Amino acid sequence: MPYGFGKFLEEQGKSQQTIKDYQLVIKLFFQFIDKKFHKEKELYEINPRDVKDFLQDKLEKGSNRSTVNKYLSILRVFFDYAWQVGKVSIDPVMKIKSLPIHKKSIPPSAQSYVELLELLPEIRNHSDYTTQRKLVYLLALKGLRNVDFQFKKQDVQIERECVNLLLKNRIITFKDKADRELFIEQEKFIRHQDTPYFLITKKHNQSIFPIAFTTVVSHLEIISNDYSIDPKITVSRIRKEYATFLYQEKRMTIENIAYILGIEIASTTKLIRNSLEEKYRVKE
């Protein structure tokens, strides 16, 4: 595949079948572009309209919405990579939303922590999501703040039965086998990167930085679009939902919730109060 994209997918831990799927979709896309313009268009010349026309063409030729969304997800990964390696200055796919699929979407009124938690298995098994995107969602469900995502490799202790994440103000333990596998996959990828950080953002010149807040926002926004979650999920919103869930559903004390979130008791009280007030306003 062009620009070293195939090697990139291998480094991301994608299976050979998945890489073949990516290769096919990218080939179909460029064949469509060549036919549309009667010439080979340079990568930097491709714009959002070209991508939308390709997706519409697939719909008109009988592809269902799930398949078209898969095409979009693959193109999203490809052009994000092209942007990272400096082949395009603007990602033409970034603002294109996935087609809503109602049977898989979360209705606007159903945005509780429980429903976001129930979506986790599907996020973990999403074939087109990077391991890092899956981890961002998982970690957001544990109430991490934006700054908490910038932890280092040494802060992740992968044990035989669990993973311990050592944050500055608390320790989070992941006992689910599927969660542990995500950390293992990311560890395999990140061990070859010249950085002490576990989650990263790559700039155009291939410089590596701890994951940027904008990258976290982007991952959650893409998930929101793919699953028709409106309003979009954010770190702060999930954190509020998590605190309220622990208080109302798990019947935890404010002191215990403060310990879990790694914040002061007064801040926890305010967080839960604001969350409950927002819920009551929505009901009214």
Side-chain angles (χ1 to χ4, degrees), residues 48-94:
R49 172 48 55 193
D50 296 332
V51 178
K52 290 178 180 179
D53 287 347
F54 168 72
L55 299 175
Q56 183 61 37
D57 179 71
K58 291 304 172 188
L59 278 175
E60 292 174 356
K61 290 181 177 178
S63 295
N64 60 41
R65 290 187 167 215
S66 294
T67 299
V68 172
N69 281 343
K70 182 177 180 180
Y71 291 161
L72 176 59
S73 295
I74 289 174
L75 291 175
R76 187 176 284 138
V77 174
F78 173 70
F79 278 101
D80 179 67
Y81 168 79
W83 177 81
Q84 289 186 38
V85 299
K87 296 300 180 180
V88 296
S89 58
I90 299 176
D91 183 348
V93 187
M94 183 172 60

Side-chain angles (χ1 to χ4, degrees), residues 120-137:
L120 178 59
E122 191 164 345
I123 300 295
R124 280 191 303 229
N125 294 323
H126 199 298
S127 61
D128 297 320
Y129 284 173
T130 62
T131 302
Q132 181 159 289
R133 179 168 299 157
K134 297 173 184 179
L135 278 172
V136 165
Y137 187 80

Side-chain angles (χ1 to χ4, degrees), residues 12 30 72 108 140 241 246 282:
Q12 291 287 313
F30 283 110
L72 176 59
E241 292 285 354
L246 295 176
V282 170

Side-chain angles (χ1 to χ4, degrees), residues 157-164 173-176 180:
Q157 297 180 347
I158 301 177
E159 308 291 349
R160 186 171 183 176
E161 301 294 335
C162 67
V163 173
N164 292 315
T173 299
F174 299 85
K175 296 182 179 180
D176 191 295
R180 182 175 175 274

Side-chain angles (χ1 to χ4, degrees), residues 1-2 5-6 9 15-31 74-75 78:
M1 278 186 278
F5 185 56
L9 293 176
S15 68
Q16 287 302 310
Q17 183 57 54
T18 298
I19 293 174
K20 288 181 180 178
D21 291 342
Y22 274 61
Q23 188 174 26
L24 175 60
V25 172
I26 292 169
K27 180 180 179 181
L28 290 173
F29 174 71
F30 283 110
Q31 285 178 343
I74 289 174
L75 291 175
F78 173 70

